[in-house]
Amino acid sequence: MINYVKKIQKLKDKFDGKVVISAHHYQHPEIVKLADFVGDSYKLAVDCSRVNAEYIVFCGVRFMAEGAAILAKENQKILLPKMSAGCPLADFIDGEIMENVLMSIEQNFQISAIPVVYMNSYTDAKNVCGKFGGAVCTSSNAQKILEYYFAKGQSVFFAPDFNLGINTARKMNLKEGDIIKVNKDLTFSKNGKTPKLFIWDGNCRVHKRFIQSDVEQFKAKYPNGKLIVHPECDEAIVNLADISGSTSKIFSEIEKSKNGSVWAVGTEYFFVKRITDQFPQKTIVPLRQSICANMAKINLQNLYETLKSIDENIENLIVVNEKQNARKSLQKMIEIVEG
Ligand code: SF4
Protein backbone atom coordinates (compact mmCIF):
# COMPACT_ATOMS: atom_id res chain seq x y z
CA MET A 1 0.00 0.00 0.00
CA ILE A 2 1.30 3.46 -0.88
CA ASN A 3 2.24 5.54 2.16
CA TYR A 4 0.89 8.92 1.06
CA VAL A 5 1.48 10.54 4.43
CA LYS A 6 5.22 9.85 4.14
CA LYS A 7 5.31 11.03 0.53
CA ILE A 8 3.44 14.27 1.35
CA GLN A 9 5.71 14.94 4.30
CA LYS A 10 8.76 14.43 2.07
CA LEU A 11 7.42 16.88 -0.51
CA LYS A 12 6.64 19.45 2.20
CA ASP A 13 10.21 19.16 3.47
CA LYS A 14 11.53 19.60 -0.04
CA PHE A 15 9.37 22.68 -0.68
CA ASP A 16 10.67 24.21 2.55
CA GLY A 17 8.01 26.92 3.05
CA LYS A 18 7.29 27.50 -0.64
CA VAL A 19 4.01 25.61 -0.22
CA VAL A 20 1.54 25.62 2.66
CA ILE A 21 -1.42 23.34 3.22
CA SER A 22 -4.59 24.86 4.59
CA ALA A 23 -7.40 22.57 5.84
CA HIS A 24 -10.96 23.22 6.90
CA HIS A 25 -12.22 21.60 10.12
CA TYR A 26 -14.44 19.25 8.09
CA GLN A 27 -11.49 17.55 6.40
CA HIS A 28 -10.45 13.94 7.07
CA PRO A 29 -8.35 13.74 10.24
CA GLU A 30 -5.29 12.49 8.28
CA ILE A 31 -5.43 15.61 6.08
CA VAL A 32 -5.81 17.89 9.10
CA LYS A 33 -2.65 16.36 10.63
CA LEU A 34 -0.63 17.38 7.56
CA ALA A 35 -1.96 20.94 7.37
CA ASP A 36 -0.09 24.12 8.28
CA PHE A 37 -3.36 25.92 9.09
CA VAL A 38 -6.61 24.41 10.30
CA GLY A 39 -9.76 26.34 11.04
CA ASP A 40 -13.19 27.54 10.05
CA SER A 41 -13.64 29.53 6.88
CA TYR A 42 -13.00 32.89 8.60
CA LYS A 43 -9.72 31.80 10.18
CA LEU A 44 -8.54 30.22 6.95
CA ALA A 45 -9.35 33.34 4.92
CA VAL A 46 -7.35 35.48 7.34
CA ASP A 47 -4.47 32.98 7.61
CA CYS A 48 -4.21 32.67 3.83
CA SER A 49 -4.27 36.46 3.36
CA ARG A 50 -1.26 36.78 5.68
CA VAL A 51 0.95 33.98 4.48
CA ASN A 52 3.81 34.58 2.04
CA ALA A 53 4.18 31.09 0.57
CA GLU A 54 4.08 30.92 -3.21
CA TYR A 55 1.52 28.10 -3.23
CA ILE A 56 -1.44 27.46 -0.95
CA VAL A 57 -2.96 24.02 -1.32
CA PHE A 58 -6.46 24.40 0.00
CA CYS A 59 -8.08 21.28 1.45
CA GLY A 60 -11.71 22.26 1.54
CA VAL A 61 -14.34 23.07 -1.06
CA ARG A 62 -14.17 25.34 -4.05
CA PHE A 63 -15.67 28.50 -2.57
CA MET A 64 -13.00 28.43 0.15
CA ALA A 65 -10.19 28.05 -2.37
CA GLU A 66 -11.70 30.89 -4.41
CA GLY A 67 -11.79 33.00 -1.23
CA ALA A 68 -8.07 32.40 -0.78
CA ALA A 69 -7.45 33.21 -4.47
CA ILE A 70 -9.37 36.49 -4.14
CA LEU A 71 -7.17 37.57 -1.23
CA ALA A 72 -3.94 36.13 -2.65
CA LYS A 73 -0.92 38.28 -3.38
CA GLU A 74 0.16 38.81 -7.01
CA ASN A 75 2.65 35.93 -7.06
CA GLN A 76 0.56 33.42 -5.09
CA LYS A 77 -1.23 30.43 -6.55
CA ILE A 78 -4.07 28.52 -4.95
CA LEU A 79 -4.60 24.83 -5.67
CA LEU A 80 -7.64 22.69 -4.81
CA PRO A 81 -6.82 18.94 -4.81
CA LYS A 82 -10.20 17.98 -6.26
CA MET A 83 -11.80 20.54 -8.55
CA SER A 84 -15.25 18.95 -8.29
CA ALA A 85 -15.40 19.63 -4.54
CA GLY A 86 -18.24 22.15 -4.68
CA CYS A 87 -20.87 23.26 -2.21
CA PRO A 88 -24.61 22.80 -2.82
CA LEU A 89 -25.31 25.70 -0.45
CA ALA A 90 -23.14 28.08 -2.50
CA ASP A 91 -25.00 26.89 -5.62
CA PHE A 92 -28.23 28.43 -4.28
CA ILE A 93 -27.35 31.90 -5.54
CA ASP A 94 -25.17 33.62 -8.10
CA GLY A 95 -24.29 37.21 -8.90
CA GLU A 96 -27.08 37.67 -11.45
CA ILE A 97 -29.80 36.49 -9.06
CA MET A 98 -28.35 38.72 -6.35
CA GLU A 99 -28.57 41.78 -8.57
CA ASN A 100 -32.19 40.90 -9.43
CA VAL A 101 -33.09 40.53 -5.76
CA LEU A 102 -31.52 43.88 -4.88
CA MET A 103 -33.44 45.51 -7.72
CA SER A 104 -36.73 43.91 -6.62
CA ILE A 105 -36.23 45.05 -3.04
CA GLU A 106 -35.67 48.57 -4.30
CA GLN A 107 -38.82 48.48 -6.46
CA ASN A 108 -41.00 46.96 -3.73
CA PHE A 109 -39.75 48.84 -0.69
CA GLN A 110 -37.99 51.93 -2.10
CA ILE A 111 -34.82 51.09 -0.20
CA SER A 112 -31.31 50.02 -1.19
CA ALA A 113 -30.56 46.91 0.86
CA ILE A 114 -26.90 46.17 1.51
CA PRO A 115 -25.89 42.66 0.43
CA VAL A 116 -24.17 40.46 3.00
CA VAL A 117 -23.06 37.12 1.60
CA TYR A 118 -21.99 34.14 3.59
CA MET A 119 -18.48 32.94 2.84
CA ASN A 120 -20.18 29.86 1.38
CA SER A 121 -20.78 31.54 -1.97
CA TYR A 122 -18.85 31.84 -5.23
CA THR A 123 -16.82 34.77 -6.49
CA ASP A 124 -19.58 36.24 -8.68
CA ALA A 125 -21.89 36.57 -5.65
CA LYS A 126 -19.05 38.14 -3.64
CA ASN A 127 -18.38 40.54 -6.53
CA VAL A 128 -21.98 41.78 -6.38
CA CYS A 129 -21.68 42.08 -2.62
CA GLY A 130 -18.60 44.30 -2.92
CA LYS A 131 -20.10 46.30 -5.80
CA PHE A 132 -23.04 47.36 -3.61
CA GLY A 133 -21.00 48.16 -0.50
CA GLY A 134 -21.60 44.90 1.38
CA ALA A 135 -19.41 42.50 3.28
CA VAL A 136 -18.87 38.77 3.36
CA CYS A 137 -19.64 37.04 6.66
CA THR A 138 -18.95 33.67 8.23
CA SER A 139 -20.87 31.81 10.91
CA SER A 140 -18.48 33.20 13.52
CA ASN A 141 -19.12 36.85 12.66
CA ALA A 142 -22.56 37.07 10.97
CA GLN A 143 -24.04 38.92 13.97
CA LYS A 144 -21.22 41.45 14.06
CA ILE A 145 -21.56 42.17 10.34
CA LEU A 146 -25.34 42.62 10.58
CA GLU A 147 -24.97 44.88 13.63
CA TYR A 148 -22.52 47.03 11.68
CA TYR A 149 -25.02 47.73 8.89
CA PHE A 150 -28.08 47.99 11.15
CA ALA A 151 -26.23 50.58 13.26
CA LYS A 152 -26.00 52.68 10.09
CA GLY A 153 -29.77 52.36 9.61
CA GLN A 154 -29.38 50.11 6.58
CA SER A 155 -31.47 47.09 5.65
CA VAL A 156 -29.58 43.96 4.61
CA PHE A 157 -30.08 41.26 2.01
CA PHE A 158 -28.48 38.11 3.45
CA ALA A 159 -27.63 35.09 1.25
CA PRO A 160 -27.50 32.20 0.65
CA ASP A 161 -28.11 30.33 3.93
CA PHE A 162 -31.56 30.92 5.39
CA ASN A 163 -30.80 29.13 8.65
CA LEU A 164 -27.71 31.17 9.46
CA GLY A 165 -29.70 34.31 8.65
CA ILE A 166 -32.73 33.47 10.77
CA ASN A 167 -30.74 32.03 13.69
CA THR A 168 -28.59 35.17 13.78
CA ALA A 169 -31.70 37.38 13.55
CA ARG A 170 -33.22 35.54 16.53
CA LYS A 171 -30.08 36.10 18.60
CA MET A 172 -30.39 39.79 17.81
CA ASN A 173 -34.07 39.79 18.85
CA LEU A 174 -35.33 40.97 15.47
CA LYS A 175 -39.12 40.94 15.35
CA GLU A 176 -41.14 38.92 12.81
CA GLY A 177 -42.07 42.02 10.81
CA ASP A 178 -38.40 42.94 10.48
CA ILE A 179 -37.56 39.77 8.53
CA ILE A 180 -38.60 38.70 5.05
CA LYS A 181 -37.73 35.39 3.40
CA VAL A 182 -36.86 35.81 -0.26
CA ASN A 183 -37.04 33.07 -2.87
CA LYS A 184 -36.72 32.73 -6.60
CA ASP A 185 -40.19 34.03 -7.52
CA LEU A 186 -39.28 37.38 -5.92
CA THR A 187 -42.71 37.99 -4.44
CA PHE A 188 -42.69 39.70 -1.05
CA SER A 189 -45.28 39.53 1.70
CA LYS A 190 -45.46 43.17 2.80
CA ASN A 191 -46.65 44.26 6.21
CA GLY A 192 -46.42 48.03 5.92
CA LYS A 193 -43.04 48.14 7.68
CA THR A 194 -39.62 48.50 6.13
CA PRO A 195 -37.93 45.15 6.78
CA LYS A 196 -34.45 45.18 8.30
CA LEU A 197 -33.43 41.80 7.00
CA PHE A 198 -34.21 39.98 3.75
CA ILE A 199 -32.98 36.38 3.81
CA TRP A 200 -32.47 34.14 0.79
CA ASP A 201 -34.03 30.69 0.96
CA GLY A 202 -30.92 28.48 0.63
CA ASN A 203 -29.69 25.72 2.90
CA CYS A 204 -26.90 23.29 3.62
CA ARG A 205 -28.17 19.74 3.28
CA VAL A 206 -25.50 18.46 5.68
CA HIS A 207 -26.97 20.58 8.48
CA LYS A 208 -30.62 20.22 7.38
CA ARG A 209 -30.40 16.51 8.18
CA PHE A 210 -30.57 17.00 11.94
CA ILE A 211 -34.10 16.54 13.22
CA GLN A 212 -35.90 16.77 16.53
CA SER A 213 -35.94 13.01 17.13
CA ASP A 214 -32.09 13.03 17.01
CA VAL A 215 -32.16 15.38 19.97
CA GLU A 216 -34.78 13.30 21.79
CA GLN A 217 -32.71 10.14 21.35
CA PHE A 218 -29.59 11.84 22.68
CA LYS A 219 -31.43 13.31 25.67
CA ALA A 220 -33.02 9.91 26.44
CA LYS A 221 -29.57 8.31 26.55
CA TYR A 222 -27.71 11.19 28.21
CA PRO A 223 -30.21 13.31 30.20
CA ASN A 224 -27.43 15.59 31.46
CA GLY A 225 -25.58 15.78 28.15
CA LYS A 226 -25.19 19.08 26.35
CA LEU A 227 -26.12 19.80 22.78
CA ILE A 228 -23.96 22.08 20.64
CA VAL A 229 -24.86 22.76 17.02
CA HIS A 230 -23.84 24.83 14.02
CA PRO A 231 -26.18 27.73 13.09
CA GLU A 232 -26.71 26.25 9.61
CA CYS A 233 -29.05 23.77 11.39
CA ASP A 234 -32.80 24.44 11.36
CA GLU A 235 -34.06 26.99 13.86
CA ALA A 236 -35.96 24.25 15.77
CA ILE A 237 -32.69 22.38 16.38
CA VAL A 238 -30.79 25.53 17.36
CA ASN A 239 -33.60 26.33 19.83
CA LEU A 240 -33.17 22.93 21.46
CA ALA A 241 -29.38 23.32 21.72
CA ASP A 242 -27.47 24.56 24.75
CA ILE A 243 -24.99 26.37 22.50
CA SER A 244 -24.79 27.18 18.79
CA GLY A 245 -21.80 28.50 16.92
CA SER A 246 -19.17 28.10 14.23
CA THR A 247 -16.87 25.08 14.10
CA SER A 248 -14.21 27.11 15.95
CA LYS A 249 -16.70 27.87 18.72
CA ILE A 250 -17.81 24.25 18.91
CA PHE A 251 -14.17 23.20 19.22
CA SER A 252 -13.31 25.75 21.91
CA GLU A 253 -16.46 25.04 24.00
CA ILE A 254 -15.71 21.33 24.05
CA GLU A 255 -12.01 21.90 24.63
CA LYS A 256 -12.66 23.99 27.74
CA SER A 257 -15.40 21.71 29.16
CA LYS A 258 -14.65 19.46 32.13
CA ASN A 259 -13.37 15.92 31.71
CA GLY A 260 -16.32 13.55 31.96
CA SER A 261 -18.71 15.97 30.26
CA VAL A 262 -21.06 14.65 27.60
CA TRP A 263 -21.78 16.34 24.28
CA ALA A 264 -23.83 15.77 21.18
CA VAL A 265 -22.53 17.78 18.26
CA GLY A 266 -24.73 18.86 15.37
CA THR A 267 -22.35 19.47 12.51
CA GLU A 268 -20.30 17.61 9.90
CA TYR A 269 -19.34 14.09 10.97
CA PHE A 270 -15.58 14.09 10.24
CA PHE A 271 -15.15 17.13 12.48
CA VAL A 272 -17.10 15.42 15.27
CA LYS A 273 -15.02 12.26 14.86
CA ARG A 274 -11.80 14.25 15.11
CA ILE A 275 -12.79 16.00 18.33
CA THR A 276 -14.02 12.69 19.72
CA ASP A 277 -10.53 11.26 19.17
CA GLN A 278 -8.84 14.41 20.44
CA PHE A 279 -10.70 14.54 23.77
CA PRO A 280 -10.97 10.92 24.95
CA GLN A 281 -11.75 12.04 28.52
CA LYS A 282 -15.08 13.46 27.30
CA THR A 283 -18.04 11.67 25.72
CA ILE A 284 -18.65 13.30 22.34
CA VAL A 285 -21.21 11.87 19.95
CA PRO A 286 -22.51 13.10 16.60
CA LEU A 287 -26.12 14.24 16.81
CA ARG A 288 -26.39 12.13 13.64
CA GLN A 289 -23.72 10.96 11.18
CA SER A 290 -23.99 13.67 8.55
CA ILE A 291 -21.09 13.75 6.10
CA CYS A 292 -20.30 16.51 3.60
CA ALA A 293 -19.66 14.47 0.46
CA ASN A 294 -17.86 17.40 -1.15
CA MET A 295 -15.41 17.96 1.70
CA ALA A 296 -14.77 14.20 1.64
CA LYS A 297 -13.59 14.39 -1.98
CA ILE A 298 -10.19 15.62 -0.78
CA ASN A 299 -8.02 12.66 0.14
CA LEU A 300 -4.35 11.82 0.67
CA GLN A 301 -3.91 10.68 -2.91
CA ASN A 302 -5.26 13.80 -4.62
CA LEU A 303 -3.45 16.00 -2.10
CA TYR A 304 -0.19 14.21 -2.90
CA GLU A 305 -0.74 14.40 -6.66
CA THR A 306 -1.55 18.10 -6.46
CA LEU A 307 1.59 18.79 -4.42
CA LYS A 308 3.68 16.72 -6.82
CA SER A 309 2.34 18.69 -9.79
CA ILE A 310 3.84 21.92 -8.44
CA ASP A 311 7.31 21.08 -9.72
CA GLU A 312 6.01 19.36 -12.85
CA ASN A 313 2.88 20.52 -14.62
CA ILE A 314 0.63 22.38 -12.21
CA GLU A 315 -2.77 20.79 -11.68
CA ASN A 316 -5.93 21.96 -9.96
CA LEU A 317 -5.10 25.64 -10.11
CA ILE A 318 -7.90 27.98 -9.04
CA VAL A 319 -8.27 30.87 -11.44
CA VAL A 320 -10.44 33.82 -10.47
CA ASN A 321 -10.51 36.38 -13.24
CA GLU A 322 -12.72 39.16 -11.98
CA LYS A 323 -12.20 39.63 -8.28
CA GLN A 324 -11.83 43.31 -7.43
CA ASN A 325 -15.26 43.74 -5.83
CA ALA A 326 -15.15 40.30 -4.23
CA ARG A 327 -11.87 41.32 -2.62
CA LYS A 328 -13.49 44.49 -1.31
CA SER A 329 -16.29 42.45 0.28
CA LEU A 330 -13.82 40.11 1.99
CA GLN A 331 -11.62 42.96 3.15
CA LYS A 332 -14.72 44.72 4.47
CA MET A 333 -15.50 41.67 6.61
CA ILE A 334 -11.95 41.60 7.98
CA GLU A 335 -12.08 45.36 8.64
CA ILE A 336 -15.40 45.08 10.54
CA VAL A 337 -14.33 42.04 12.54
CA GLU A 338 -10.76 43.04 13.35
CA GLY A 339 -11.88 46.59 14.07
S1 SF4 B 1 -21.07 21.32 4.94
FE1 SF4 B 1 -22.71 22.33 3.79
S2 SF4 B 1 -22.04 24.44 3.55
FE2 SF4 B 1 -20.22 23.23 4.15
S3 SF4 B 1 -19.29 22.67 2.22
FE3 SF4 B 1 -20.62 20.97 2.77
S4 SF4 B 1 -22.56 21.46 1.72
FE4 SF4 B 1 -21.35 23.34 1.72
Side-chain angles (χ1 to χ4, degrees):
M1 213 166 105
I2 302 172
N3 187 338
Y4 284 112
V5 172
K6 218 167 162 188
K7 281 171 160 287
I8 291 169
Q9 206 57 64
K10 220 170 149 189
L11 276 177
K12 278 187 75 179
D13 293 345
K14 184 183 112 182
F15 288 137
D16 191 25
K18 178 170 102 166
V19 180
V20 292
I21 299 175
S22 160
H24 187 265
H25 275 312
Y26 294 167
Q27 287 293 296
H28 286 283
E30 67 263 27
I31 301 269
V32 169
K33 276 192 204 139
L34 289 161
D36 299 285
F37 315 119
V38 181
D40 60 10
S41 49
Y42 179 71
K43 182 177 179 297
L44 295 180
V46 174
D47 285 346
C48 289
S49 72
R50 290 179 180 160
V51 80
N52 285 320
E54 199 180 332
Y55 294 89
I56 299 172
V57 180
F58 207 108
C59 299
V61 292
R62 194 181 166 93
F63 74 78
M64 297 176 174
E66 284 190 13
I70 293 165
L71 291 170
K73 300 176 182 76
E74 283 285 302
N75 64 332
Q76 280 179 322
K77 293 185 179 60
I78 313 299
L79 310 180
L80 178 66
K82 187 78 181 172
M83 293 300 257
S84 64
C87 168
L89 169 59
D91 289 337
F92 267 95
I93 202 155
D94 61 24
E96 193 182 335
I97 301 174
M98 280 193 53
E99 293 221 31
N100 287 340
V101 174
L102 293 171
M103 222 185 322
S104 287
I105 292 173
E106 196 160 342
Q107 281 160 1
N108 280 276
F109 297 93
Q110 290 74 51
I111 53 167
S112 302
I114 298 289
V116 170
V117 288
Y118 192 20
M119 182 63 114
N120 306 25
S121 59
Y122 291 109
T123 307
D124 60 339
K126 291 187 176 82
N127 268 327
V128 172
C129 182
K131 179 175 160 189
F132 290 93
V136 171
C137 77
T138 68
S139 54
S140 61
N141 61 37
Q143 182 167 345
K144 204 165 185 176
I145 305 284
L146 290 184
E147 278 166 357
Y148 172 87
Y149 289 110
F150 291 161
K152 292 174 178 291
Q154 282 162 317
S155 295
V156 166
F157 168 52
F158 185 93
D161 189 48
F162 181 77
N163 283 344
L164 178 61
I166 195 73
N167 288 321
T168 308
R170 298 294 185 225
K171 269 193 187 167
M172 298 170 75
N173 291 320
L174 257 64
K175 307 275 176 307
E176 273 313 319
D178 290 330
I179 306 164
I180 286 196
K181 190 175 193 170
V182 188
N183 48 36
K184 275 195 177 138
D185 61 19
L186 295 183
T187 50
F188 300 92
S189 47
K190 298 186 193 172
N191 59 16
K193 283 178 76 178
T194 302
K196 285 176 96 163
L197 186 60
F198 298 85
I199 316 177
W200 188 246
D201 190 16
N203 63 70
C204 161
R205 59 179 75 150
V206 176
H207 289 90
K208 280 291 275 185
R209 284 193 195 116
F210 301 108
I211 51 176
Q212 208 158 326
S213 59
D214 297 333
V215 180
E216 286 158 7
Q217 277 172 26
F218 169 68
K219 288 286 177 188
K221 193 165 177 193
Y222 301 103
N224 297 320
K226 282 192 160 185
L227 173 62
I228 186 162
V229 303
H230 194 280
E232 283 172 26
C233 295
D234 281 346
E235 189 183 353
I237 302 298
V238 171
N239 287 344
L240 290 170
D242 298 282
I243 306 170
S244 71
S246 66
T247 45
S248 289
K249 182 166 171 79
I250 293 173
F251 186 91
S252 68
E253 289 291 335
I254 291 182
E255 186 179 36
K256 72 185 184 205
S257 68
K258 288 195 184 114
N259 285 347
S261 57
V262 178
W263 294 91
V265 186
T267 193
E268 209 277 338
Y269 175 66
F270 282 119
F271 173 62
V272 184
K273 188 176 174 327
R274 188 159 56 81
I275 48 180
T276 304
D277 295 343
Q278 196 165 338
F279 302 111
Q281 314 83 345
K282 300 167 194 186
T283 301
I284 303 162
V285 295
L287 185 56
R288 160 188 289 262
Q289 272 197 24
S290 186
I291 291 173
C292 176
N294 281 284
M295 286 280 183
K297 285 179 182 172
I298 310 294
N299 56 36
L300 289 173
Q301 184 178 349
N302 55 38
L303 172 58
Y304 167 68
E305 279 160 7
T306 303
L307 285 165
K308 194 159 80 75
S309 79
I310 289 175
D311 273 349
E312 296 171 1
N313 190 9
I314 294 187
E315 284 172 14
N316 302 329
L317 179 68
I318 293 286
V319 180
V320 178
N321 291 323
E322 205 195 312
K323 60 179 183 182
Q324 211 185 336
N325 283 316
R327 195 184 177 101
K328 262 201 237 167
S329 68
L330 278 162
Q331 283 169 335
K332 186 77 188 167
M333 167 180 74
I334 296 172
E335 177 198 313
I336 296 170
V337 175
E338 308 283 313

